[in-house]
Amino acid sequence: MEKTDFQERDAFRRDIIDIVRECETILLNADDIKRKIHQKTGKGNFVTDYDSKIQAILKERLLALIPGAAFLGEEDQMDHTDISSGYAFIVDPIDGTANFTRGYNASCISVALALDGRPVLGVVHNPYQQETFHAVKGGGAYLNGERISASDRTLEEGLILFGTAPYHAELTKKSFEVAYRYMSRAQDLRRSGSAALDLCMIASGRAEFFFELSLCPWDYAAGALLVEEAGGIVCDLQGQPITYDRKQTVTARAPKVELLESSHHHAD
């Protein structure tokens, strides 16, 4: 796809949203999930037959839109997919798989389209709430077609969201130390089990600060664009920019929320 005029891009955006939404029936009609769970490496790291099925559909249909694009999905090996030049789809077929396997109903489908290594379009669809978040680079962030923006609350007024990086036991203690440090300044804390949905909560102004110490690009590529297009800020814990080519620490926050300089200091 060349850089086209706005109407063509708009149709293209709608095509991607439609493709993502159509995959919801696989999630909502899933049955006999327990028999279709497979353990991956790391504590609590599961994949189901449904992840694989949704990813296969997304791969076929998205690559039909841009035949030459790269495709990086959660069920692929990151080492073998170069997204640094040209178009690339970055896809998590089910973000919140552990929730999905338990009927916890807090999971979503996340698709980002990157150009030269940076997301230019992001779609996150939560079938349980019938909420579709999307953003286009330079075009704002939307929920079910309505413009959304990050909140104007401060940390002291804020809700903290965090992921526990459960596949990395060595990060558990630090995760809770950082969470405690922010929580001790804020109003309250939540843990959803889906980084993509947490990023959408920041983008839509429902919460003010999110972090997780180890995320893969498919967890955050679409959500990070949503946050930025909603006027929020995405970076690592030290305030450095994130990239989309490796695992890393990701934070997202409302504009009035400041990072608490080094994350290992005690709260005042």
Side-chain angles (χ1 to χ4, degrees), residues 240-263:
Q240 298 304 305
I242 61 167
T243 61
Y244 297 86
D245 57 354
R246 58 185 172 84
K247 280 187 182 181
Q248 60 204 289
T249 295
V250 175
T251 77
R253 66 191 200 272
K256 288 186 181 175
V257 173
E258 295 184 10
L259 291 176
L260 302 178
E261 63 300 348
S262 67
S263 56

PDB file of all heavy atoms in Angstrom, residues 240-263:
ATOM      1  N   GLN A 240      12.372   6.992  29.006  1.00  0.00           N
ATOM      2  CA  GLN A 240      12.969   6.823  27.676  1.00  0.00           C
ATOM      3  C   GLN A 240      11.937   6.280  26.683  1.00  0.00           C
ATOM      4  O   GLN A 240      11.033   5.540  27.073  1.00  0.00           O
ATOM      5  CB  GLN A 240      14.157   5.852  27.751  1.00  0.00           C
ATOM      6  CG  GLN A 240      15.290   6.341  28.643  1.00  0.00           C
ATOM      7  CD  GLN A 240      15.802   7.705  28.211  1.00  0.00           C
ATOM      8  OE1 GLN A 240      16.176   7.886  27.060  1.00  0.00           O
ATOM      9  NE2 GLN A 240      15.808   8.667  29.130  1.00  0.00           N
ATOM     10  N   PRO A 241      12.078   6.623  25.392  1.00  0.00           N
ATOM     11  CA  PRO A 241      11.132   6.133  24.388  1.00  0.00           C
ATOM     12  C   PRO A 241      11.155   4.603  24.296  1.00  0.00           C
ATOM     13  O   PRO A 241      12.199   3.974  24.543  1.00  0.00           O
ATOM     14  CB  PRO A 241      11.628   6.749  23.080  1.00  0.00           C
ATOM     15  CG  PRO A 241      12.523   7.877  23.477  1.00  0.00           C
ATOM     16  CD  PRO A 241      13.112   7.503  24.798  1.00  0.00           C
ATOM     17  N   ILE A 242      10.022   4.017  23.942  1.00  0.00           N
ATOM     18  CA  ILE A 242       9.974   2.581  23.707  1.00  0.00           C
ATOM     19  C   ILE A 242      10.138   2.299  22.217  1.00  0.00           C
ATOM     20  O   ILE A 242       9.990   3.193  21.383  1.00  0.00           O
ATOM     21  CB  ILE A 242       8.655   1.959  24.215  1.00  0.00           C
ATOM     22  CG1 ILE A 242       7.439   2.561  23.488  1.00  0.00           C
ATOM     23  CG2 ILE A 242       8.515   2.137  25.722  1.00  0.00           C
ATOM     24  CD1 ILE A 242       6.144   1.788  23.709  1.00  0.00           C
ATOM     25  N   THR A 243      10.467   1.057  21.914  1.00  0.00           N
ATOM     26  CA  THR A 243      10.531   0.610  20.519  1.00  0.00           C
ATOM     27  C   THR A 243       9.582  -0.570  20.363  1.00  0.00           C
ATOM     28  O   THR A 243       8.911  -0.966  21.318  1.00  0.00           O
ATOM     29  CB  THR A 243      11.961   0.194  20.137  1.00  0.00           C
ATOM     30  OG1 THR A 243      12.357  -0.905  20.974  1.00  0.00           O
ATOM     31  CG2 THR A 243      12.941   1.341  20.320  1.00  0.00           C
ATOM     32  N   TYR A 244       9.538  -1.131  19.184  1.00  0.00           N
ATOM     33  CA  TYR A 244       8.552  -2.169  18.899  1.00  0.00           C
ATOM     34  C   TYR A 244       9.209  -3.445  18.357  1.00  0.00           C
ATOM     35  O   TYR A 244       8.549  -4.238  17.683  1.00  0.00           O
ATOM     36  CB  TYR A 244       7.504  -1.615  17.922  1.00  0.00           C
ATOM     37  CG  TYR A 244       6.740  -0.473  18.539  1.00  0.00           C
ATOM     38  CD1 TYR A 244       7.236   0.831  18.477  1.00  0.00           C
ATOM     39  CD2 TYR A 244       5.577  -0.705  19.247  1.00  0.00           C
ATOM     40  CE1 TYR A 244       6.566   1.874  19.091  1.00  0.00           C
ATOM     41  CE2 TYR A 244       4.899   0.334  19.871  1.00  0.00           C
ATOM     42  CZ  TYR A 244       5.395   1.616  19.789  1.00  0.00           C
ATOM     43  OH  TYR A 244       4.730   2.648  20.417  1.00  0.00           O
ATOM     44  N   ASP A 245      10.491  -3.613  18.693  1.00  0.00           N
ATOM     45  CA  ASP A 245      11.244  -4.734  18.125  1.00  0.00           C
ATOM     46  C   ASP A 245      11.750  -5.719  19.177  1.00  0.00           C
ATOM     47  O   ASP A 245      12.507  -6.618  18.867  1.00  0.00           O
ATOM     48  CB  ASP A 245      12.434  -4.201  17.322  1.00  0.00           C
ATOM     49  CG  ASP A 245      13.351  -3.309  18.163  1.00  0.00           C
ATOM     50  OD1 ASP A 245      12.999  -3.015  19.335  1.00  0.00           O
ATOM     51  OD2 ASP A 245      14.412  -2.911  17.655  1.00  0.00           O
ATOM     52  N   ARG A 246      11.337  -5.545  20.439  1.00  0.00           N
ATOM     53  CA  ARG A 246      11.853  -6.437  21.491  1.00  0.00           C
ATOM     54  C   ARG A 246      10.985  -6.306  22.736  1.00  0.00           C
ATOM     55  O   ARG A 246      10.166  -5.399  22.851  1.00  0.00           O
ATOM     56  CB  ARG A 246      13.294  -6.058  21.849  1.00  0.00           C
ATOM     57  CG  ARG A 246      13.426  -4.619  22.307  1.00  0.00           C
ATOM     58  CD  ARG A 246      14.863  -4.203  22.555  1.00  0.00           C
ATOM     59  NE  ARG A 246      14.957  -2.767  22.821  1.00  0.00           N
ATOM     60  CZ  ARG A 246      14.756  -2.206  24.018  1.00  0.00           C
ATOM     61  NH1 ARG A 246      14.440  -2.958  25.056  1.00  0.00           N
ATOM     62  NH2 ARG A 246      14.847  -0.896  24.175  1.00  0.00           N
ATOM     63  N   LYS A 247      11.205  -7.233  23.691  1.00  0.00           N
ATOM     64  CA  LYS A 247      10.555  -7.126  25.004  1.00  0.00           C
ATOM     65  C   LYS A 247      11.097  -5.924  25.749  1.00  0.00           C
ATOM     66  O   LYS A 247      12.291  -5.627  25.666  1.00  0.00           O
ATOM     67  CB  LYS A 247      10.861  -8.367  25.848  1.00  0.00           C
ATOM     68  CG  LYS A 247      10.036  -9.581  25.542  1.00  0.00           C
ATOM     69  CD  LYS A 247      10.352 -10.658  26.571  1.00  0.00           C
ATOM     70  CE  LYS A 247       9.587 -11.928  26.275  1.00  0.00           C
ATOM     71  NZ  LYS A 247       9.872 -12.968  27.270  1.00  0.00           N
ATOM     72  N   GLN A 248      10.235  -5.245  26.510  1.00  0.00           N
ATOM     73  CA  GLN A 248      10.718  -4.119  27.300  1.00  0.00           C
ATOM     74  C   GLN A 248       9.701  -3.690  28.345  1.00  0.00           C
ATOM     75  O   GLN A 248       8.562  -4.169  28.354  1.00  0.00           O
ATOM     76  CB  GLN A 248      11.053  -2.934  26.399  1.00  0.00           C
ATOM     77  CG  GLN A 248       9.893  -2.420  25.581  1.00  0.00           C
ATOM     78  CD  GLN A 248      10.382  -1.698  24.333  1.00  0.00           C
ATOM     79  OE1 GLN A 248      10.930  -0.611  24.428  1.00  0.00           O
ATOM     80  NE2 GLN A 248      10.217  -2.315  23.180  1.00  0.00           N
ATOM     81  N   THR A 249      10.139  -2.783  29.219  1.00  0.00           N
ATOM     82  CA  THR A 249       9.245  -2.151  30.183  1.00  0.00           C
ATOM     83  C   THR A 249       8.453  -1.060  29.477  1.00  0.00           C
ATOM     84  O   THR A 249       9.005  -0.294  28.699  1.00  0.00           O
ATOM     85  CB  THR A 249      10.059  -1.522  31.332  1.00  0.00           C
ATOM     86  OG1 THR A 249      10.723  -2.567  32.048  1.00  0.00           O
ATOM     87  CG2 THR A 249       9.158  -0.767  32.294  1.00  0.00           C
ATOM     88  N   VAL A 250       7.155  -1.018  29.770  1.00  0.00           N
ATOM     89  CA  VAL A 250       6.282  -0.020  29.159  1.00  0.00           C
ATOM     90  C   VAL A 250       5.475   0.676  30.251  1.00  0.00           C
ATOM     91  O   VAL A 250       4.934   0.022  31.138  1.00  0.00           O
ATOM     92  CB  VAL A 250       5.319  -0.673  28.138  1.00  0.00           C
ATOM     93  CG1 VAL A 250       4.327   0.351  27.585  1.00  0.00           C
ATOM     94  CG2 VAL A 250       6.103  -1.314  26.996  1.00  0.00           C
ATOM     95  N   THR A 251       5.414   2.004  30.189  1.00  0.00           N
ATOM     96  CA  THR A 251       4.486   2.759  31.025  1.00  0.00           C
ATOM     97  C   THR A 251       3.623   3.629  30.119  1.00  0.00           C
ATOM     98  O   THR A 251       4.045   4.025  29.028  1.00  0.00           O
ATOM     99  CB  THR A 251       5.184   3.686  32.046  1.00  0.00           C
ATOM    100  OG1 THR A 251       5.669   4.863  31.378  1.00  0.00           O
ATOM    101  CG2 THR A 251       6.340   2.995  32.748  1.00  0.00           C
ATOM    102  N   ALA A 252       2.422   3.911  30.599  1.00  0.00           N
ATOM    103  CA  ALA A 252       1.527   4.839  29.902  1.00  0.00           C
ATOM    104  C   ALA A 252       0.851   5.683  30.955  1.00  0.00           C
ATOM    105  O   ALA A 252       0.484   5.186  32.016  1.00  0.00           O
ATOM    106  CB  ALA A 252       0.502   4.082  29.076  1.00  0.00           C
ATOM    107  N   ARG A 253       0.685   6.979  30.653  1.00  0.00           N
ATOM    108  CA  ARG A 253       0.124   7.835  31.689  1.00  0.00           C
ATOM    109  C   ARG A 253      -0.615   9.028  31.102  1.00  0.00           C
ATOM    110  O   ARG A 253      -0.372   9.432  29.963  1.00  0.00           O
ATOM    111  CB  ARG A 253       1.227   8.310  32.642  1.00  0.00           C
ATOM    112  CG  ARG A 253       2.262   9.232  32.028  1.00  0.00           C
ATOM    113  CD  ARG A 253       3.450   9.402  32.988  1.00  0.00           C
ATOM    114  NE  ARG A 253       4.248  10.583  32.706  1.00  0.00           N
ATOM    115  CZ  ARG A 253       5.276  10.624  31.859  1.00  0.00           C
ATOM    116  NH1 ARG A 253       5.605   9.533  31.183  1.00  0.00           N
ATOM    117  NH2 ARG A 253       5.953  11.732  31.688  1.00  0.00           N
ATOM    118  N   ALA A 254      -1.516   9.551  31.922  1.00  0.00           N
ATOM    119  CA  ALA A 254      -2.206  10.787  31.584  1.00  0.00           C
ATOM    120  C   ALA A 254      -1.201  11.940  31.631  1.00  0.00           C
ATOM    121  O   ALA A 254      -0.195  11.863  32.343  1.00  0.00           O
ATOM    122  CB  ALA A 254      -3.351  11.031  32.568  1.00  0.00           C
ATOM    123  N   PRO A 255      -1.453  13.028  30.903  1.00  0.00           N
ATOM    124  CA  PRO A 255      -0.454  14.096  30.765  1.00  0.00           C
ATOM    125  C   PRO A 255      -0.037  14.750  32.078  1.00  0.00           C
ATOM    126  O   PRO A 255       1.094  15.213  32.203  1.00  0.00           O
ATOM    127  CB  PRO A 255      -1.128  15.118  29.853  1.00  0.00           C
ATOM    128  CG  PRO A 255      -2.347  14.492  29.317  1.00  0.00           C
ATOM    129  CD  PRO A 255      -2.636  13.231  30.055  1.00  0.00           C
ATOM    130  N   LYS A 256      -0.924  14.818  33.075  1.00  0.00           N
ATOM    131  CA  LYS A 256      -0.576  15.478  34.336  1.00  0.00           C
ATOM    132  C   LYS A 256       0.110  14.554  35.333  1.00  0.00           C
ATOM    133  O   LYS A 256       0.486  14.982  36.428  1.00  0.00           O
ATOM    134  CB  LYS A 256      -1.835  16.077  34.984  1.00  0.00           C
ATOM    135  CG  LYS A 256      -2.375  17.296  34.263  1.00  0.00           C
ATOM    136  CD  LYS A 256      -3.534  17.912  35.035  1.00  0.00           C
ATOM    137  CE  LYS A 256      -4.099  19.119  34.292  1.00  0.00           C
ATOM    138  NZ  LYS A 256      -5.314  19.639  34.979  1.00  0.00           N
ATOM    139  N   VAL A 257       0.259  13.283  34.976  1.00  0.00           N
ATOM    140  CA  VAL A 257       0.909  12.318  35.871  1.00  0.00           C
ATOM    141  C   VAL A 257       2.399  12.282  35.556  1.00  0.00           C
ATOM    142  O   VAL A 257       2.791  12.069  34.412  1.00  0.00           O
ATOM    143  CB  VAL A 257       0.298  10.915  35.711  1.00  0.00           C
ATOM    144  CG1 VAL A 257       1.087   9.878  36.502  1.00  0.00           C
ATOM    145  CG2 VAL A 257      -1.161  10.925  36.150  1.00  0.00           C
ATOM    146  N   GLU A 258       3.221  12.515  36.562  1.00  0.00           N
ATOM    147  CA  GLU A 258       4.669  12.492  36.370  1.00  0.00           C
ATOM    148  C   GLU A 258       5.244  11.166  36.833  1.00  0.00           C
ATOM    149  O   GLU A 258       4.758  10.558  37.786  1.00  0.00           O
ATOM    150  CB  GLU A 258       5.316  13.648  37.143  1.00  0.00           C
ATOM    151  CG  GLU A 258       4.908  15.008  36.593  1.00  0.00           C
ATOM    152  CD  GLU A 258       5.627  16.150  37.287  1.00  0.00           C
ATOM    153  OE1 GLU A 258       6.572  15.876  38.064  1.00  0.00           O
ATOM    154  OE2 GLU A 258       5.236  17.317  37.051  1.00  0.00           O
ATOM    155  N   LEU A 259       6.292  10.729  36.140  1.00  0.00           N
ATOM    156  CA  LEU A 259       7.008   9.537  36.594  1.00  0.00           C
ATOM    157  C   LEU A 259       7.675   9.840  37.927  1.00  0.00           C
ATOM    158  O   LEU A 259       8.153  10.951  38.160  1.00  0.00           O
ATOM    159  CB  LEU A 259       8.074   9.131  35.568  1.00  0.00           C
ATOM    160  CG  LEU A 259       7.571   8.598  34.226  1.00  0.00           C
ATOM    161  CD1 LEU A 259       8.754   8.342  33.304  1.00  0.00           C
ATOM    162  CD2 LEU A 259       6.757   7.327  34.401  1.00  0.00           C
ATOM    163  N   LEU A 260       7.699   8.844  38.805  1.00  0.00           N
ATOM    164  CA  LEU A 260       8.385   8.998  40.083  1.00  0.00           C
ATOM    165  C   LEU A 260       9.836   8.609  39.853  1.00  0.00           C
ATOM    166  O   LEU A 260      10.168   7.437  39.885  1.00  0.00           O
ATOM    167  CB  LEU A 260       7.722   8.121  41.150  1.00  0.00           C
ATOM    168  CG  LEU A 260       6.245   8.402  41.374  1.00  0.00           C
ATOM    169  CD1 LEU A 260       5.672   7.445  42.413  1.00  0.00           C
ATOM    170  CD2 LEU A 260       6.021   9.842  41.813  1.00  0.00           C
ATOM    171  N   GLU A 261      10.634   9.614  39.566  1.00  0.00           N
ATOM    172  CA  GLU A 261      12.013   9.490  39.076  1.00  0.00           C
ATOM    173  C   GLU A 261      12.552   8.066  39.074  1.00  0.00           C
ATOM    174  O   GLU A 261      12.180   7.291  38.226  1.00  0.00           O
ATOM    175  CB  GLU A 261      12.948  10.527  39.735  1.00  0.00           C
ATOM    176  CG  GLU A 261      13.182  10.492  41.231  1.00  0.00           C
ATOM    177  CD  GLU A 261      11.968  10.663  42.124  1.00  0.00           C
ATOM    178  OE1 GLU A 261      10.885  11.041  41.699  1.00  0.00           O
ATOM    179  OE2 GLU A 261      12.133  10.389  43.302  1.00  0.00           O
ATOM    180  N   SER A 262      13.397   7.617  40.009  1.00  0.00           N
ATOM    181  CA  SER A 262      13.881   6.237  39.879  1.00  0.00           C
ATOM    182  C   SER A 262      12.938   5.333  40.648  1.00  0.00           C
ATOM    183  O   SER A 262      12.541   5.623  41.761  1.00  0.00           O
ATOM    184  CB  SER A 262      15.309   6.099  40.392  1.00  0.00           C
ATOM    185  OG  SER A 262      15.341   6.294  41.778  1.00  0.00           O
ATOM    186  N   SER A 263      12.592   4.228  40.017  1.00  0.00           N
ATOM    187  CA  SER A 263      11.487   3.416  40.500  1.00  0.00           C
ATOM    188  C   SER A 263      11.784   2.679  41.794  1.00  0.00           C
ATOM    189  O   SER A 263      10.892   2.133  42.402  1.00  0.00           O
ATOM    190  CB  SER A 263      11.125   2.397  39.426  1.00  0.00           C
ATOM    191  OG  SER A 263      12.256   1.632  39.079  1.00  0.00           O
TER     192      SER A 263
END
